[in-house]
Amino acid sequence: MNTRVLEIRKGILNKNDEIARGLRGRLQHAGVLTVNLVSSPGAGKTALLQRTLRVLREQGLHAAALVGDLATDNDARRLAESGVPVKQINTDGRCHLEAQMVSDHLADWDLGALDYLFIENVGNLVCPSSYDLGEDVRVVLLSVTEGEDKPLKYPNIFNSADIAIITKMDIAEACEFDLETASANIQSVRPGMQILTTSSKSGVGMNDWLSCLAHERQSRTLTTADA
Amino acid sequence: MNTRVLEIRKGILNKNDEIARGLRGRLQHAGVLTVNLVSSPGAGKTALLQRTLRVLREQGLHAAALVGDLATDNDARRLAESGVPVKQINTDGRCHLEAQMVSDHLADWDLGALDYLFIENVGNLVCPSSYDLGEDVRVVLLSVTEGEDKPLKYPNIFNSADIAIITKMDIAEACEFDLETASANIQSVRPGMQILTTSSKSGVGMNDWLSCLAHERQSRTLTTADA
């Protein structure tokens, strides 16, 4: 890439970082825990969210979701079945979400009424890693069908995430998935990263994931209260 | 995206198109059929190529492969086991291959001795769609684990491809994959596209894929001879 393009791209990133910083401040001030979900296409972000939103609602918690895609509003329609507020962000061919898109789509929501905001990024293991969306927690999903070496081959996205979830555990055996190797690869790219295993179909691991969310929310609320 | 960035990006694409055009000429003149494989991370490009390269070699045909990744040379090492020439292109964090990278890595190969050149792109359903690599045939892979709606959600890459391969058919049932819906979605984005179904594990569909390659090669050779 030539120097001029790099400089301009850096400029875009800095602009994005600025917007993300402001957005993070607004969301934290409103007491919302914001979670940015990133993964390959088809790793199961929407399925995980469907189940998560339903359970949170049953627990009397208030969640909402923004869903990024190049085209279609399929995912927003799937998530809306959970009964929580959902909006589709159509990126019009762009390969990632940016903080401004998130900010624009939050404009008419009452953030004070929310406990959780989930942002489902465009399915892409590369580009979303460079764009801060003002989230508190970035979660990277890796499905058992993708192979154990993906953390080594896409290190930036694993390195920029806070939590890894290995999804579709119900078909792990059919895929001859080696959990130990996958976990070791994640740890080699991002030492100490928390790794959860789930199946949105069977429900395995959902309790751990929900506890993890509750813990993150509690620790942020305490930190904000202290500040 | 602001106008200046768009203009520069367009400039990069035009530059890439120019290089791709030159490259295509060189490869076709040498009688090589060049195939660019694109897909999500983990859709099975490397597994398909492993099996393809082995069979072509057994048939006495000469194939070679270039493999793009952000990091690691895992895939090149896997493919090299087939005994054909393989080179890894490390994109150093970039989300797609470009024609110049392909051209650079071909520099010391005798193209005249090759029948097939396979280029395994970076696993990404978005960005590689915009970069012509000088290929004759672009093949998009969709694994049964990714969901039937991916063609609708990532239309550009399906639209820019010539052939679609639905992979991992051995676990289609475990994934409750609906082939009819997936095929209809592909056809709605790219009417008339040839769709193959394969399993690199069981070997299902490999004969169709190899016939398809032979047919493509034959028709290009005839066209070139006519010209």
Side-chain angles (χ1 to χ4, degrees):
Chain A
M1 205 172 296
N2 66 48
T3 321
R4 210 170 135 218
V5 175
L6 260 186
E7 273 170 15
I8 290 186
R9 184 156 298 173
K10 213 173 144 198
I12 299 174
L13 283 181
N14 287 346
K15 179 82 188 151
N16 182 75
D17 286 348
E18 254 175 57
I19 297 167
R21 209 173 300 139
L23 188 55
R24 180 175 288 109
R26 274 208 295 148
L27 288 160
Q28 288 185 345
H29 183 76
V32 187
L33 184 83
T34 305
V35 180
N36 177 8
L37 297 173
V38 295
S39 79
S40 297
K45 296 184 293 302
T46 312
L48 179 72
L49 268 185
Q50 278 184 301
R51 198 148 183 154
T52 305
L53 294 175
R54 208 170 54 226
V55 177
L56 289 175
R57 197 175 176 223
E58 285 163 10
Q59 294 178 345
L61 290 158
H62 299 280
L66 297 176
V67 190
D69 273 304
L70 275 71
T72 82
D73 62 350
N74 292 2
D75 288 354
R77 280 189 283 118
R78 279 171 68 191
L79 291 180
E81 289 167 14
S82 63
V84 314
V86 176
K87 268 192 214 167
Q88 183 80 40
I89 304 178
N90 192 312
T91 66
D92 203 16
R94 245 177 293 179
C95 53
H96 59 270
L97 288 178
E98 295 180 15
Q100 186 65 56
M101 303 176 192
V102 173
S103 180
D104 290 347
H105 284 77
L106 288 178
D108 59 351
W109 275 354
D110 175 12
L111 298 182
L114 289 182
D115 300 309
Y116 293 97
L117 172 67
F118 294 92
I119 307 169
E120 183 182 330
N121 220 310
V122 176
N124 183 332
L125 270 190
V126 190
C127 315
S129 69
S130 311
Y131 292 84
D132 182 1
L133 303 183
E135 72 264 27
D136 295 303
V137 184
R138 186 176 295 186
V139 179
V140 61
L141 276 65
L142 171 70
S143 93
V144 298
T145 67
E146 291 174 61
E148 299 81 3
D149 65 344
K150 291 301 164 290
L152 304 178
K153 291 171 71 182
Y154 300 85
N156 298 351
I157 204 140
F158 282 87
N159 196 260
S160 76
D162 304 291
I163 297 169
I165 304 185
I166 298 175
T167 60
K168 307 195 187 180
M169 285 302 289
D170 54 294
I171 52 167
E173 213 177 300
C175 299
E176 297 173 15
F177 179 72
D178 179 348
L179 179 59
E180 206 172 315
T181 303
S183 302
N185 288 341
I186 292 172
Q187 294 297 338
S188 77
V189 170
R190 177 81 153 92
M193 175 133 82
Q194 182 173 7
I195 302 174
L196 301 170
T197 54
T198 62
S199 162
S200 300
K201 195 184 268 179
S202 73
V204 160
M206 285 304 293
N207 285 343
D208 288 345
W209 160 236
L210 288 157
S211 302
C212 173
L213 283 174
H215 172 79
E216 289 287 344
R217 184 158 178 268
Q218 199 177 20
S219 64
R220 309 279 158 160
T221 315
L222 291 175
T223 315
T224 314
D226 285 350
Chain B
M1 205 171 297
N2 66 49
T3 321
R4 212 172 133 217
V5 174
L6 259 187
E7 272 170 15
I8 289 186
R9 185 156 295 172
K10 213 172 144 198
I12 299 174
L13 284 181
N14 287 346
K15 180 82 187 150
N16 182 75
D17 286 348
E18 253 175 58
I19 298 167
R21 208 172 301 137
L23 188 56
R24 180 175 290 109
R26 272 209 296 148
L27 288 160
Q28 288 185 345
H29 183 75
V32 187
L33 183 83
T34 305
V35 180
N36 176 7
L37 297 172
V38 295
S39 79
S40 297
K45 297 184 292 304
T46 312
L48 179 72
L49 268 186
Q50 277 184 302
R51 199 150 182 151
T52 306
L53 294 175
R54 208 170 53 227
V55 177
L56 289 174
R57 199 178 175 222
E58 286 162 9
Q59 294 178 346
L61 290 158
H62 299 280
L66 296 176
V67 190
D69 272 304
L70 276 72
T72 83
D73 62 351
N74 292 2
D75 288 353
R77 279 188 285 118
R78 279 171 67 191
L79 292 181
E81 289 167 14
S82 63
V84 314
V86 176
K87 266 192 215 169
Q88 183 81 41
I89 305 179
N90 192 311
T91 66
D92 203 16
R94 246 177 293 178
C95 52
H96 58 271
L97 288 178
E98 295 180 14
Q100 186 64 56
M101 303 177 192
V102 173
S103 180
D104 290 346
H105 284 76
L106 289 179
D108 58 352
W109 275 354
D110 175 12
L111 298 182
L114 289 182
D115 301 309
Y116 292 98
L117 173 67
F118 295 93
I119 306 170
E120 183 182 331
N121 221 309
V122 175
N124 183 332
L125 269 190
V126 190
C127 315
S129 69
S130 311
Y131 291 84
D132 182 1
L133 303 183
E135 71 266 26
D136 295 303
V137 184
R138 185 176 295 186
V139 179
V140 60
L141 277 64
L142 170 70
S143 93
V144 298
T145 68
E146 291 174 60
E148 298 81 2
D149 65 344
K150 291 302 164 290
L152 304 178
K153 292 171 71 181
Y154 300 85
N156 298 351
I157 203 139
F158 282 86
N159 197 261
S160 77
D162 304 290
I163 298 169
I165 303 185
I166 299 177
T167 60
K168 307 195 187 181
M169 286 302 289
D170 54 294
I171 53 168
E173 213 177 299
C175 298
E176 297 173 17
F177 179 72
D178 179 347
L179 178 59
E180 206 173 316
T181 303
S183 302
N185 288 341
I186 292 172
Q187 294 297 338
S188 77
V189 171
R190 177 83 152 90
M193 175 132 82
Q194 182 173 6
I195 303 174
L196 301 170
T197 53
T198 63
S199 162
S200 301
K201 196 184 268 179
S202 73
V204 159
M206 285 304 294
N207 285 344
D208 288 344
W209 161 236
L210 288 157
S211 302
C212 172
L213 283 174
H215 173 78
E216 290 287 344
R217 183 156 177 271
Q218 198 177 19
S219 63
R220 309 280 157 158
T221 315
L222 291 177
T223 314
T224 315
D226 285 350

